[in-house]
Amino acid sequence: MNTKLTIIVDNTSTGLFKGEWGLSVLVEYNDKKILVDAGASDLFLKNMQGLGIEVKDIDYGVLSHAHYDHANGIPAFFENNDKAGFYIRDSVDANCYGKRFIFKKYIGIPRDLLSNYRDRIIMVSGDYKIMDGVYLIPHKTKGLSDIGKRESMYRKTSAGWIPDDFSHEQSLVLETEKGLLIINSCSHGGAANIITEIRETFPEKHVYGLIGGFHLYNKSDEEIHLVGKKIRDTGIDYVCTGHCTEKHAYEILKEELGDRLEKMMVGLKKEF
């Protein structure tokens, strides 16, 4: 189970690699390459080129959730890779909005993504096995629409506006030599909730690490400390966060998690 991760896109740029408000992570698992999200633009292509990675060689794509800063690069991916399908929750649609006062702003996937690339998109439901040791796991925590309402995130349906319950969000779970490694790009459903979900899904396995953003850029110090405590209380060994966590929240999480926490940035490479 040779597992390597490279951060292709993140808010934090390094050296020659530019950043943006978005996330894209390359997973090399044994002899397969998996791209988790494609950022907010075609920047991932430029950063891949600088990192010496061939986009045409990627075997699988995974969309963590239906927001623009993770999905807008997917058309560019399809234009430069003719073999990989993108695994997406079957609840994904072009219907995600952020609310500010009485206004709602579209924050979802490219509106024509599902129709233009239907032959390249694989809709999945429930617990899904991509290959041996690699799984897609949906949220199983109840009441996540309360988080959607608090975050002013809504979905447009035929019955009207509903708070987002993040049923379109999924975790990529990898079996590694150290234990299970979770990748969930924004963790809208709650980082500690996600760890618990994976632990309950795989009760016989050790959950080693969580990688992703934690959507803390808009939270109070008190709320961030609480998130850090909840993550610490799960007993997880390793956490790597960036993107929507942002610098201030990272520094507070560091107080709670100490050496088990690492900062995400473009070009970061890890082996597990």
Side-chain angles (χ1 to χ4, degrees):
M1 294 181 291
N2 185 22
T3 308
K4 298 179 182 178
L5 264 67
T6 304
I7 305 302
I8 305 298
V9 172
D10 179 61
N11 302 11
T12 304
S13 59
T14 55
L16 299 175
F17 305 117
K18 292 183 179 180
E20 67 179 2
W21 182 269
L23 192 62
S24 181
V25 182
L26 177 67
V27 176
E28 296 175 78
Y29 192 83
N30 293 332
D31 61 343
K32 298 296 183 181
K33 293 181 173 65
I34 306 166
L35 186 70
V36 182
D37 296 343
S41 69
D42 64 356
L43 176 64
F44 77 99
L45 292 174
K46 301 179 180 69
N47 285 347
M48 275 189 179
Q49 184 177 26
L51 288 162
I53 300 167
E54 294 283 353
V55 66
K56 65 182 178 64
D57 293 337
I58 292 172
D59 300 287
Y60 305 96
V62 169
L63 178 64
S64 65
H65 64 293
H67 287 168
Y68 76 95
D69 46 336
H70 303 265
N72 273 9
I74 294 178
F77 174 81
F78 287 144
E79 291 166 10
N80 290 274
N81 176 297
D82 61 9
K83 68 175 182 178
F86 242 85
Y87 290 83
I88 294 175
R89 281 284 125 189
D90 60 2
S91 57
V92 165
D93 203 348
N95 63 357
C96 290
Y97 289 76
K99 181 181 178 183
R100 184 169 176 81
F101 305 115
I102 63 171
F103 304 102
K104 293 185 176 71
K105 178 183 178 182
Y106 184 69
I107 59 171
I109 62 175
R111 291 183 185 273
D112 55 359
L113 180 70
L114 300 182
S115 58
N116 285 357
Y117 301 99
R118 60 169 61 96
D119 60 328
R120 302 289 302 274
I121 289 172
I122 301 135
M123 293 287 193
V124 302
S125 61
D127 298 343
Y128 188 91
K129 182 179 178 180
I130 295 179
M131 59 182 170
D132 286 346
V134 181
Y135 308 90
L136 295 173
I137 307 298
H139 283 305
K140 301 174 181 181
T141 305
K142 303 295 184 183
L144 294 185
S145 58
D146 291 341
I147 295 177
K149 187 174 183 180
R150 188 180 71 227
E151 294 297 322
S152 296
M153 291 182 175
Y154 287 81
R155 300 183 78 179
K156 189 176 184 180
T157 72
S158 58
W161 296 98
I162 60 171
D164 202 334
D165 64 355
F166 306 108
S167 58
H168 55 90
E169 188 170 61
Q170 60 185 347
S171 297
L172 179 71
V173 180
L174 310 165
E175 292 183 3
T176 77
E177 298 292 343
K178 295 183 177 182
L180 297 179
L181 184 66
I182 308 164
I183 302 174
N184 190 305
S185 296
C186 277
S187 307
H188 288 291
N193 286 339
I194 289 165
I195 296 167
T196 299
E197 289 168 352
I198 302 309
R199 182 168 286 145
E200 292 177 350
T201 302
F202 301 94
E204 75 287 0
K205 298 184 183 297
H206 173 64
V207 180
Y208 170 75
L210 173 63
I211 294 173
F214 297 159
H215 211 261
L216 297 176
Y217 74 95
N218 58 352
K219 303 298 187 297
S220 68
D221 289 7
E222 182 180 6
E223 290 174 295
I224 298 165
H225 275 290
L226 181 59
V227 169
K229 287 183 172 70
K230 287 181 176 180
I231 294 173
R232 187 184 65 211
D233 289 347
T234 67
I236 200 164
D237 301 290
Y238 173 77
V239 179
C240 180
T241 192
H243 179 39
C244 53
T245 298
E246 285 279 64
K247 182 180 178 181
H248 178 70
Y250 177 85
E251 292 170 352
I252 293 175
L253 289 178
K254 192 70 173 176
E255 296 175 23
E256 298 291 344
L257 296 170
D259 292 342
R260 75 183 76 181
L261 182 68
E262 185 169 14
K263 184 173 178 54
M264 190 182 292
M265 60 189 70
V266 180
L268 177 68
K269 296 183 179 184
K270 300 292 295 185
E271 292 193 30
F272 300 91

